[in-house]
PDB file of all heavy atoms in Angstrom:
ATOM      1  N   TYR A  24       1.381  -9.069   8.123  1.00  0.00           N
ATOM      2  CA  TYR A  24       2.391  -8.071   7.754  1.00  0.00           C
ATOM      3  C   TYR A  24       2.552  -7.116   8.920  1.00  0.00           C
ATOM      4  O   TYR A  24       1.566  -6.560   9.416  1.00  0.00           O
ATOM      5  CB  TYR A  24       1.947  -7.309   6.503  1.00  0.00           C
ATOM      6  CG  TYR A  24       3.059  -6.463   5.925  1.00  0.00           C
ATOM      7  CD1 TYR A  24       3.939  -6.978   4.989  1.00  0.00           C
ATOM      8  CD2 TYR A  24       3.236  -5.148   6.348  1.00  0.00           C
ATOM      9  CE1 TYR A  24       4.970  -6.210   4.475  1.00  0.00           C
ATOM     10  CE2 TYR A  24       4.259  -4.373   5.844  1.00  0.00           C
ATOM     11  CZ  TYR A  24       5.125  -4.907   4.910  1.00  0.00           C
ATOM     12  OH  TYR A  24       6.154  -4.151   4.404  1.00  0.00           O
ATOM     13  N   PRO A  25       3.779  -6.922   9.402  1.00  0.00           N
ATOM     14  CA  PRO A  25       3.988  -6.076  10.574  1.00  0.00           C
ATOM     15  C   PRO A  25       3.395  -4.674  10.405  1.00  0.00           C
ATOM     16  O   PRO A  25       3.596  -4.022   9.373  1.00  0.00           O
ATOM     17  CB  PRO A  25       5.523  -5.998  10.665  1.00  0.00           C
ATOM     18  CG  PRO A  25       6.000  -7.268  10.030  1.00  0.00           C
ATOM     19  CD  PRO A  25       5.047  -7.514   8.905  1.00  0.00           C
ATOM     20  N   GLY A  26       2.649  -4.259  11.408  1.00  0.00           N
ATOM     21  CA  GLY A  26       2.069  -2.922  11.394  1.00  0.00           C
ATOM     22  C   GLY A  26       0.677  -2.836  10.809  1.00  0.00           C
ATOM     23  O   GLY A  26       0.016  -1.813  10.947  1.00  0.00           O
ATOM     24  N   ILE A  27       0.203  -3.904  10.177  1.00  0.00           N
ATOM     25  CA  ILE A  27      -1.160  -3.925   9.639  1.00  0.00           C
ATOM     26  C   ILE A  27      -1.962  -4.893  10.489  1.00  0.00           C
ATOM     27  O   ILE A  27      -2.191  -6.042  10.127  1.00  0.00           O
ATOM     28  CB  ILE A  27      -1.180  -4.326   8.159  1.00  0.00           C
ATOM     29  CG1 ILE A  27      -0.294  -3.376   7.340  1.00  0.00           C
ATOM     30  CG2 ILE A  27      -2.601  -4.296   7.606  1.00  0.00           C
ATOM     31  CD1 ILE A  27      -0.252  -3.690   5.861  1.00  0.00           C
ATOM     32  N   GLN A  28      -2.336  -4.450  11.670  1.00  0.00           N
ATOM     33  CA  GLN A  28      -2.974  -5.330  12.644  1.00  0.00           C
ATOM     34  C   GLN A  28      -4.366  -5.756  12.233  1.00  0.00           C
ATOM     35  O   GLN A  28      -4.735  -6.915  12.359  1.00  0.00           O
ATOM     36  CB  GLN A  28      -3.005  -4.647  14.018  1.00  0.00           C
ATOM     37  CG  GLN A  28      -3.529  -5.543  15.127  1.00  0.00           C
ATOM     38  CD  GLN A  28      -3.428  -4.871  16.484  1.00  0.00           C
ATOM     39  OE1 GLN A  28      -3.120  -3.688  16.581  1.00  0.00           O
ATOM     40  NE2 GLN A  28      -3.716  -5.601  17.543  1.00  0.00           N
ATOM     41  N   ALA A  29      -5.149  -4.810  11.708  1.00  0.00           N
ATOM     42  CA  ALA A  29      -6.519  -5.131  11.349  1.00  0.00           C
ATOM     43  C   ALA A  29      -6.594  -5.931  10.058  1.00  0.00           C
ATOM     44  O   ALA A  29      -7.588  -6.587   9.782  1.00  0.00           O
ATOM     45  CB  ALA A  29      -7.336  -3.840  11.198  1.00  0.00           C
ATOM     46  N   GLY A  30      -5.531  -5.909   9.267  1.00  0.00           N
ATOM     47  CA  GLY A  30      -5.520  -6.624   8.004  1.00  0.00           C
ATOM     48  C   GLY A  30      -6.187  -5.821   6.896  1.00  0.00           C
ATOM     49  O   GLY A  30      -7.073  -5.010   7.137  1.00  0.00           O
ATOM     50  N   LYS A  31      -5.736  -6.026   5.672  1.00  0.00           N
ATOM     51  CA  LYS A  31      -6.354  -5.407   4.506  1.00  0.00           C
ATOM     52  C   LYS A  31      -6.211  -6.377   3.359  1.00  0.00           C
ATOM     53  O   LYS A  31      -5.455  -7.351   3.447  1.00  0.00           O
ATOM     54  CB  LYS A  31      -5.722  -4.060   4.183  1.00  0.00           C
ATOM     55  CG  LYS A  31      -4.242  -4.131   3.795  1.00  0.00           C
ATOM     56  CD  LYS A  31      -3.746  -2.789   3.268  1.00  0.00           C
ATOM     57  CE  LYS A  31      -3.898  -1.661   4.224  1.00  0.00           C
ATOM     58  NZ  LYS A  31      -3.423  -0.368   3.700  1.00  0.00           N
ATOM     59  N   THR A  32      -6.903  -6.147   2.285  1.00  0.00           N
ATOM     60  CA  THR A  32      -6.802  -7.050   1.140  1.00  0.00           C
ATOM     61  C   THR A  32      -5.454  -6.862   0.457  1.00  0.00           C
ATOM     62  O   THR A  32      -4.827  -5.790   0.540  1.00  0.00           O
ATOM     63  CB  THR A  32      -7.922  -6.786   0.117  1.00  0.00           C
ATOM     64  OG1 THR A  32      -7.717  -5.504  -0.480  1.00  0.00           O
ATOM     65  CG2 THR A  32      -9.292  -6.854   0.780  1.00  0.00           C
ATOM     66  N   GLY A  33      -5.018  -7.896  -0.243  1.00  0.00           N
ATOM     67  CA  GLY A  33      -3.790  -7.790  -0.997  1.00  0.00           C
ATOM     68  C   GLY A  33      -3.869  -6.728  -2.071  1.00  0.00           C
ATOM     69  O   GLY A  33      -2.891  -6.047  -2.368  1.00  0.00           O
ATOM     70  N   PHE A  34      -5.059  -6.569  -2.668  1.00  0.00           N
ATOM     71  CA  PHE A  34      -5.249  -5.537  -3.691  1.00  0.00           C
ATOM     72  C   PHE A  34      -5.035  -4.143  -3.103  1.00  0.00           C
ATOM     73  O   PHE A  34      -4.336  -3.305  -3.680  1.00  0.00           O
ATOM     74  CB  PHE A  34      -6.650  -5.641  -4.294  1.00  0.00           C
ATOM     75  CG  PHE A  34      -6.964  -4.542  -5.276  1.00  0.00           C
ATOM     76  CD1 PHE A  34      -6.525  -4.635  -6.597  1.00  0.00           C
ATOM     77  CD2 PHE A  34      -7.687  -3.429  -4.881  1.00  0.00           C
ATOM     78  CE1 PHE A  34      -6.800  -3.617  -7.508  1.00  0.00           C
ATOM     79  CE2 PHE A  34      -7.965  -2.401  -5.779  1.00  0.00           C
ATOM     80  CZ  PHE A  34      -7.514  -2.502  -7.093  1.00  0.00           C
ATOM     81  N   ASP A  35      -5.651  -3.884  -1.950  1.00  0.00           N
ATOM     82  CA  ASP A  35      -5.508  -2.581  -1.325  1.00  0.00           C
ATOM     83  C   ASP A  35      -4.053  -2.322  -0.907  1.00  0.00           C
ATOM     84  O   ASP A  35      -3.562  -1.191  -1.012  1.00  0.00           O
ATOM     85  CB  ASP A  35      -6.420  -2.456  -0.100  1.00  0.00           C
ATOM     86  CG  ASP A  35      -7.882  -2.340  -0.467  1.00  0.00           C
ATOM     87  OD1 ASP A  35      -8.166  -1.969  -1.629  1.00  0.00           O
ATOM     88  OD2 ASP A  35      -8.738  -2.631   0.382  1.00  0.00           O
ATOM     89  N   PHE A  36      -3.397  -3.351  -0.440  1.00  0.00           N
ATOM     90  CA  PHE A  36      -1.988  -3.228  -0.061  1.00  0.00           C
ATOM     91  C   PHE A  36      -1.135  -2.832  -1.266  1.00  0.00           C
ATOM     92  O   PHE A  36      -0.301  -1.929  -1.188  1.00  0.00           O
ATOM     93  CB  PHE A  36      -1.504  -4.554   0.535  1.00  0.00           C
ATOM     94  CG  PHE A  36      -0.065  -4.557   0.957  1.00  0.00           C
ATOM     95  CD1 PHE A  36       0.339  -3.941   2.133  1.00  0.00           C
ATOM     96  CD2 PHE A  36       0.897  -5.185   0.176  1.00  0.00           C
ATOM     97  CE1 PHE A  36       1.664  -3.944   2.525  1.00  0.00           C
ATOM     98  CE2 PHE A  36       2.228  -5.199   0.562  1.00  0.00           C
ATOM     99  CZ  PHE A  36       2.602  -4.570   1.738  1.00  0.00           C
ATOM    100  N   GLY A  37      -1.372  -3.514  -2.390  1.00  0.00           N
ATOM    101  CA  GLY A  37      -0.627  -3.194  -3.608  1.00  0.00           C
ATOM    102  C   GLY A  37      -0.896  -1.783  -4.088  1.00  0.00           C
ATOM    103  O   GLY A  37       0.022  -1.067  -4.523  1.00  0.00           O
ATOM    104  N   GLU A  38      -2.159  -1.354  -4.028  1.00  0.00           N
ATOM    105  CA  GLU A  38      -2.506  -0.004  -4.452  1.00  0.00           C
ATOM    106  C   GLU A  38      -1.872   1.046  -3.546  1.00  0.00           C
ATOM    107  O   GLU A  38      -1.400   2.097  -4.013  1.00  0.00           O
ATOM    108  CB  GLU A  38      -4.024   0.170  -4.473  1.00  0.00           C
ATOM    109  CG  GLU A  38      -4.700  -0.455  -5.675  1.00  0.00           C
ATOM    110  CD  GLU A  38      -4.235   0.198  -6.967  1.00  0.00           C
ATOM    111  OE1 GLU A  38      -4.493   1.403  -7.158  1.00  0.00           O
ATOM    112  OE2 GLU A  38      -3.611  -0.492  -7.786  1.00  0.00           O
ATOM    113  N   ASP A  39      -1.840   0.780  -2.252  1.00  0.00           N
ATOM    114  CA  ASP A  39      -1.197   1.705  -1.319  1.00  0.00           C
ATOM    115  C   ASP A  39       0.292   1.843  -1.633  1.00  0.00           C
ATOM    116  O   ASP A  39       0.848   2.954  -1.634  1.00  0.00           O
ATOM    117  CB  ASP A  39      -1.378   1.236   0.118  1.00  0.00           C
ATOM    118  CG  ASP A  39      -2.781   1.447   0.647  1.00  0.00           C
ATOM    119  OD1 ASP A  39      -3.569   2.157  -0.013  1.00  0.00           O
ATOM    120  OD2 ASP A  39      -3.091   0.896   1.718  1.00  0.00           O
ATOM    121  N   MET A  40       0.945   0.730  -1.910  1.00  0.00           N
ATOM    122  CA  MET A  40       2.367   0.764  -2.221  1.00  0.00           C
ATOM    123  C   MET A  40       2.629   1.499  -3.542  1.00  0.00           C
ATOM    124  O   MET A  40       3.591   2.261  -3.667  1.00  0.00           O
ATOM    125  CB  MET A  40       2.947  -0.656  -2.292  1.00  0.00           C
ATOM    126  CG  MET A  40       3.031  -1.354  -0.952  1.00  0.00           C
ATOM    127  SD  MET A  40       4.000  -2.891  -1.050  1.00  0.00           S
ATOM    128  CE  MET A  40       5.670  -2.228  -1.179  1.00  0.00           C
ATOM    129  N   ARG A  41       1.752   1.287  -4.512  1.00  0.00           N
ATOM    130  CA  ARG A  41       1.912   1.975  -5.802  1.00  0.00           C
ATOM    131  C   ARG A  41       1.782   3.488  -5.630  1.00  0.00           C
ATOM    132  O   ARG A  41       2.625   4.264  -6.108  1.00  0.00           O
ATOM    133  CB  ARG A  41       0.869   1.483  -6.811  1.00  0.00           C
ATOM    134  CG  ARG A  41       0.944   2.217  -8.157  1.00  0.00           C
ATOM    135  CD  ARG A  41      -0.230   1.872  -9.042  1.00  0.00           C
ATOM    136  NE  ARG A  41      -1.504   2.239  -8.460  1.00  0.00           N
ATOM    137  CZ  ARG A  41      -1.999   3.469  -8.449  1.00  0.00           C
ATOM    138  NH1 ARG A  41      -1.311   4.473  -8.986  1.00  0.00           N
ATOM    139  NH2 ARG A  41      -3.178   3.723  -7.896  1.00  0.00           N
ATOM    140  N   ARG A  42       0.734   3.912  -4.915  1.00  0.00           N
ATOM    141  CA  ARG A  42       0.534   5.353  -4.706  1.00  0.00           C
ATOM    142  C   ARG A  42       1.686   5.970  -3.935  1.00  0.00           C
ATOM    143  O   ARG A  42       2.124   7.091  -4.236  1.00  0.00           O
ATOM    144  CB  ARG A  42      -0.791   5.589  -3.962  1.00  0.00           C
ATOM    145  CG  ARG A  42      -2.030   5.416  -4.850  1.00  0.00           C
ATOM    146  CD  ARG A  42      -3.263   5.916  -4.145  1.00  0.00           C
ATOM    147  NE  ARG A  42      -3.617   5.046  -3.026  1.00  0.00           N
ATOM    148  CZ  ARG A  42      -4.484   4.051  -3.098  1.00  0.00           C
ATOM    149  NH1 ARG A  42      -5.096   3.787  -4.251  1.00  0.00           N
ATOM    150  NH2 ARG A  42      -4.761   3.318  -2.047  1.00  0.00           N
ATOM    151  N   GLN A  43       2.189   5.237  -2.983  1.00  0.00           N
ATOM    152  CA  GLN A  43       3.303   5.742  -2.188  1.00  0.00           C
ATOM    153  C   GLN A  43       4.543   5.923  -3.058  1.00  0.00           C
ATOM    154  O   GLN A  43       5.228   6.950  -2.969  1.00  0.00           O
ATOM    155  CB  GLN A  43       3.593   4.761  -1.051  1.00  0.00           C
ATOM    156  CG  GLN A  43       4.428   5.318   0.076  1.00  0.00           C
ATOM    157  CD  GLN A  43       4.471   4.363   1.253  1.00  0.00           C
ATOM    158  OE1 GLN A  43       4.198   3.165   1.116  1.00  0.00           O
ATOM    159  NE2 GLN A  43       4.835   4.873   2.420  1.00  0.00           N
ATOM    160  N   ALA A  44       4.820   4.935  -3.917  1.00  0.00           N
ATOM    161  CA  ALA A  44       5.980   5.036  -4.814  1.00  0.00           C
ATOM    162  C   ALA A  44       5.806   6.200  -5.794  1.00  0.00           C
ATOM    163  O   ALA A  44       6.753   6.948  -6.072  1.00  0.00           O
ATOM    164  CB  ALA A  44       6.166   3.722  -5.569  1.00  0.00           C
ATOM    165  N   GLU A  45       4.596   6.366  -6.302  1.00  0.00           N
ATOM    166  CA  GLU A  45       4.344   7.480  -7.221  1.00  0.00           C
ATOM    167  C   GLU A  45       4.504   8.830  -6.537  1.00  0.00           C
ATOM    168  O   GLU A  45       4.989   9.799  -7.134  1.00  0.00           O
ATOM    169  CB  GLU A  45       2.934   7.356  -7.821  1.00  0.00           C
ATOM    170  CG  GLU A  45       2.816   6.251  -8.865  1.00  0.00           C
ATOM    171  CD  GLU A  45       1.431   6.185  -9.472  1.00  0.00           C
ATOM    172  OE1 GLU A  45       0.450   6.496  -8.773  1.00  0.00           O
ATOM    173  OE2 GLU A  45       1.338   5.808 -10.654  1.00  0.00           O
ATOM    174  N   ASP A  46       4.098   8.896  -5.281  1.00  0.00           N
ATOM    175  CA  ASP A  46       4.244  10.149  -4.533  1.00  0.00           C
ATOM    176  C   ASP A  46       5.717  10.559  -4.417  1.00  0.00           C
ATOM    177  O   ASP A  46       6.038  11.742  -4.332  1.00  0.00           O
ATOM    178  CB  ASP A  46       3.640  10.010  -3.143  1.00  0.00           C
ATOM    179  CG  ASP A  46       2.111  10.017  -3.153  1.00  0.00           C
ATOM    180  OD1 ASP A  46       1.534  10.403  -4.185  1.00  0.00           O
ATOM    181  OD2 ASP A  46       1.510   9.600  -2.142  1.00  0.00           O
ATOM    182  N   PHE A  47       6.607   9.573  -4.402  1.00  0.00           N
ATOM    183  CA  PHE A  47       8.035   9.859  -4.315  1.00  0.00           C
ATOM    184  C   PHE A  47       8.653  10.096  -5.695  1.00  0.00           C
ATOM    185  O   PHE A  47       9.823  10.445  -5.783  1.00  0.00           O
ATOM    186  CB  PHE A  47       8.768   8.726  -3.612  1.00  0.00           C
ATOM    187  CG  PHE A  47       8.597   8.708  -2.119  1.00  0.00           C
ATOM    188  CD1 PHE A  47       7.883   7.705  -1.499  1.00  0.00           C
ATOM    189  CD2 PHE A  47       9.149   9.719  -1.338  1.00  0.00           C
ATOM    190  CE1 PHE A  47       7.713   7.702  -0.118  1.00  0.00           C
ATOM    191  CE2 PHE A  47       8.986   9.716   0.041  1.00  0.00           C
ATOM    192  CZ  PHE A  47       8.264   8.706   0.658  1.00  0.00           C
ATOM    193  N   GLY A  48       7.874   9.879  -6.761  1.00  0.00           N
ATOM    194  CA  GLY A  48       8.360  10.187  -8.087  1.00  0.00           C
ATOM    195  C   GLY A  48       8.544   9.021  -9.025  1.00  0.00           C
ATOM    196  O   GLY A  48       8.941   9.215 -10.183  1.00  0.00           O
ATOM    197  N   ALA A  49       8.259   7.797  -8.589  1.00  0.00           N
ATOM    198  CA  ALA A  49       8.382   6.641  -9.475  1.00  0.00           C
ATOM    199  C   ALA A  49       7.316   6.710 -10.563  1.00  0.00           C
ATOM    200  O   ALA A  49       6.189   7.171 -10.334  1.00  0.00           O
ATOM    201  CB  ALA A  49       8.245   5.336  -8.693  1.00  0.00           C
TER     202      ALA A  49
END
């Protein structure tokens, strides 16, 4: 995935996206 050079788990990626969306009000 562009910009994630070191790599992360799919679970952590999903959690990051969820928190980010919630921060914007979703």
Side-chain angles (χ1 to χ4, degrees):
Y24 191 89
I27 303 180
Q28 186 175 8
K31 63 170 59 180
T32 67
F34 175 81
D35 288 340
F36 180 77
E38 282 297 297
D39 286 348
M40 290 191 74
R41 177 189 61 79
R42 285 191 291 265
Q43 197 171 19
E45 287 182 328
D46 286 345
F47 284 112

